[in-house]
């Protein structure tokens, strides 16, 4: 009996990609806000509000629905031998292509908000990205604890995690590039 082959993508790579994109879009959207002098609130208030939003967004992105990875990792099953494992770059590119319009809209809104509250929108976006990057570190700890990598079918149920050995794929635990 031959099983149907399917593709698996790394969970940690998708989370890390989201965090990286949002972090850098937030930085790029916040930098022009430092040059804004015509804001009704002023630059100092905008930066202080942005710093508060950064911290709140980072904590929220890390905590909200963050525990689901632990629960799904406990319920994960072993991946079949007939699966294809997506490369880290392919997973990251597919994630960004599926969400390119949302990323563009978030950047435009964050950059445009500098007219009212300089830097705040960009710092909010960067805070969400920082929280997601921290969540990818939590995933790395889960993967090292289980001594297995977490995978999901990109075209299937996102809650159905599957496990492979720690050496599978081209990404280290947490979704970072494998070194050496």
């Amino acid at each position: 009996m031959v099983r149907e082959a399917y593709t698996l993508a790394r969970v940690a790579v998708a989370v890390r990609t989201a965090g990286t994109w949002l972090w850098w879009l937030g930085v790029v959207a916040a930098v022009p806000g430092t040059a804004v002098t015509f804001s009704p609130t002023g630059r100092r208030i905008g930066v202080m509000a942005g710093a508060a939003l950064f911290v709140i967004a980072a904590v929220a992105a890390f905590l909200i629905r963050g525990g689901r990875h632990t629960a799904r990792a406990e319920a994960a099953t072993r991946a079949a031998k007939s699966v294809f494992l997506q490369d880290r770059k392919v997973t990251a590119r597919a994630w960004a292509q599926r969400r390119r319009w949302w990323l563009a809209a978030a950047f435009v809104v964050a950059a445009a908000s500098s007219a009212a509250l300089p830097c705040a929108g960009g710092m909010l976006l960067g805070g969400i990205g920082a929280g997601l990057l921290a969540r990818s570190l939590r995933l790395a700890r889960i993967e090292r604890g289980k001594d297995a990598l977490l995978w999901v079918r990109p075209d299937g149920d996102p809650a159905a995690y599957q496990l492979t050995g720690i050496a599978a794929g081209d990404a280290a635990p947490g979704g970072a590039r494998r070194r050496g």
Side-chain angles (χ1 to χ4, degrees):
M1 179 174 161
V2 177
R3 293 188 140 195
E4 181 182 333
Y6 53 91
T7 304
L8 291 177
R10 282 287 304 282
V11 175
V13 170
V15 172
R16 188 178 177 92
T17 301
T20 303
W21 270 97
L22 291 173
W23 166 258
W24 283 111
L25 287 176
V27 168
V28 171
V31 167
T34 60
V36 172
T37 58
F38 56 84
S39 170
T41 58
R43 189 177 334 163
R44 185 174 55 147
I45 292 173
V47 170
M48 296 299 267
L53 286 172
F54 180 90
V55 171
I56 292 168
V59 169
F62 179 74
L63 293 177
I64 294 176
R65 294 175 28 180
R68 68 182 175 173
H69 298 298
T70 307
R72 290 177 179 176
E74 292 302 319
T77 59
R78 271 292 198 209
K81 290 186 179 188
S82 61
V83 299
F84 294 102
L85 304 177
Q86 260 186 5
D87 288 342
R88 185 184 56 80
K89 286 183 180 180
V90 173
T91 302
R93 188 179 318 118
W95 185 93
Q97 283 178 350
R98 281 193 303 266
R99 292 160 181 87
R100 66 181 171 264
W101 294 110
W102 288 108
L103 291 170
F107 174 75
V108 168
V109 168
S113 71
S114 287
L117 204 59
C119 300
M123 292 175 87
L124 173 69
L125 204 58
I128 295 169
L132 290 174
L133 287 170
R135 190 187 292 181
S136 77
L137 295 176
R138 179 194 289 178
L139 273 167
R141 193 175 69 240
I142 292 170
E143 288 177 338
R144 285 189 187 103
K146 292 187 77 59
D147 199 32
L149 300 178
L150 298 172
W151 300 78
V152 67
R153 286 182 73 165
D155 57 350
D157 181 17
Y161 286 6
Q162 295 186 21
L163 302 170
T164 63
I166 201 81
D170 66 340
R177 189 176 312 140
R178 244 185 237 283
R179 298 201 193 328

